[in-house]
Amino acid sequence: MLLLLSSYKMKSIPVVDLGEAKIDNIITQSSVIHMLAECAGLQWFESWGTRKLSEIGLPLMAPDLIVKVYEEEPVLQAFKLMRKKRIGGVPIVDSSGRKVVGNISIRDVHFLLTAPEIYHDYRSITAKNFSTAVEGYLKTHQEISPFVRGMVICTKNYSIKELIMKLDSEKINRVYVVDDAGNLEGVITLRDIISRLVHEPRGYFGDFFDGVLPLPSDSRV
């Protein structure tokens, strides 16, 4: 299950009752992170959880490979990038391209249609102004969205336990790694954390997946 959610790029896995020929449950990446958070206090978790992110090879992606959008670029560019790169979110960076100033998720696209303050200018509104407008819309209408949140950051000195607790409590799918000056150093997703928990023995699935997942090697889906 962990291999499917990490190495094989699945976001969720159905649990099937073969006898009844029905789906009993769905296991998601988020549910695995929540399960890990509930392991706090157990010896194995506390021992593993004290390790720093840098000690276990996180973040996986180098800063120059991160897909990002500049704050003055049209927000439509952010959604185009997410579609082209098959990713769920991108950081908003300042003009230097180094400092993170916000975050846009693929699920935020509905605000282009539902928020009047946005859809009138949806072709020209910038990523920065889009983020600000969404926050204002939610406050004005006293709505709480699980999808739109302020950006969440950490440093490489975070322990894996601290990161898991943050991801679980904030109910988010990614966190941005920054240095002491606030410069972007990487991004860590739920899949990245799950991949640190499991190793696939050579030939474990045989040729079962050959030709089934024709995704590029650098895909972040």
Side-chain angles (χ1 to χ4, degrees):
M1 178 267 290
L2 294 177
L3 284 172
L4 292 175
L5 289 174
S6 55
S7 300
Y8 290 87
K9 306 182 186 303
M10 297 178 69
K11 290 183 178 294
S12 59
I13 299 173
V15 180
V16 180
D17 184 329
L18 295 179
E20 297 292 331
K22 65 178 183 179
I23 295 177
D24 276 344
N25 211 330
I26 301 288
I27 298 176
T28 64
Q29 294 175 345
S30 297
S31 65
V32 172
I33 296 301
H34 180 65
M35 177 273 293
L36 289 172
E38 292 194 327
C39 289
L42 298 181
Q43 183 177 1
W44 75 266
F45 181 77
E46 295 298 330
S47 176
W48 177 70
T50 58
R51 301 180 67 183
K52 303 297 183 184
L53 299 180
S54 56
E55 294 177 0
I56 60 174
L58 293 177
L60 298 175
M61 183 177 290
D64 59 333
L65 296 179
I66 298 174
V67 179
K68 56 197 173 187
V69 62
Y70 288 90
E71 59 184 349
E72 296 305 322
E73 284 188 290
V75 71
L76 290 183
Q77 176 64 12
F79 293 116
K80 288 178 181 178
L81 281 173
M82 284 184 262
R83 180 183 179 186
K84 180 180 179 180
K85 300 294 184 178
R86 298 183 178 185
I87 53 179
V90 293
I92 306 172
V93 297
D94 66 5
S95 58
S96 72
R98 295 191 297 270
K99 295 189 183 297
V100 186
V101 298
N103 171 71
I104 296 179
S105 166
I106 190 65
R107 291 172 293 189
D108 300 337
V109 69
H110 74 92
F111 287 105
L112 292 177
L113 302 174
T114 60
E117 299 90 334
I118 298 174
Y119 68 65
H120 289 309
D121 301 311
Y122 78 93
R123 291 185 181 277
S124 60
I125 190 170
T126 64
K128 179 181 179 181
N129 290 342
F130 171 82
S131 180
T132 302
V134 168
E135 291 178 8
Y137 175 83
L138 294 174
K139 289 180 180 178
T140 300
H141 295 78
Q142 297 182 332
E143 294 182 21
I144 298 177
S145 172
F147 305 141
V148 180
R149 299 179 180 274
M151 66 171 180
V152 178
I153 61 175
C154 72
T155 69
K156 288 183 178 179
N157 289 326
Y158 262 54
S159 69
I160 187 65
K161 176 183 176 180
E162 289 175 319
L163 181 59
I164 287 173
M165 293 304 185
K166 180 184 285 286
L167 288 167
D168 184 53
S169 63
E170 296 284 347
K171 306 302 180 189
I172 53 176
N173 295 324
R174 68 186 57 79
V175 61
Y176 298 110
V177 183
V178 299
D179 61 19
D180 293 336
N183 296 317
L184 183 63
E185 289 195 321
V187 58
I188 299 175
T189 65
L190 304 185
R191 177 177 291 116
D192 295 336
I193 295 176
I194 296 172
S195 72
R196 302 295 88 177
L197 286 167
V198 62
H199 168 72
E200 180 179 358
R202 185 176 180 83
Y204 183 74
F205 286 113
D207 60 358
F208 183 79
F209 286 107
D210 287 358
V212 177
L213 298 172
L215 295 174
S217 60
D218 62 345
S219 173
R220 301 284 293 174
V221 179

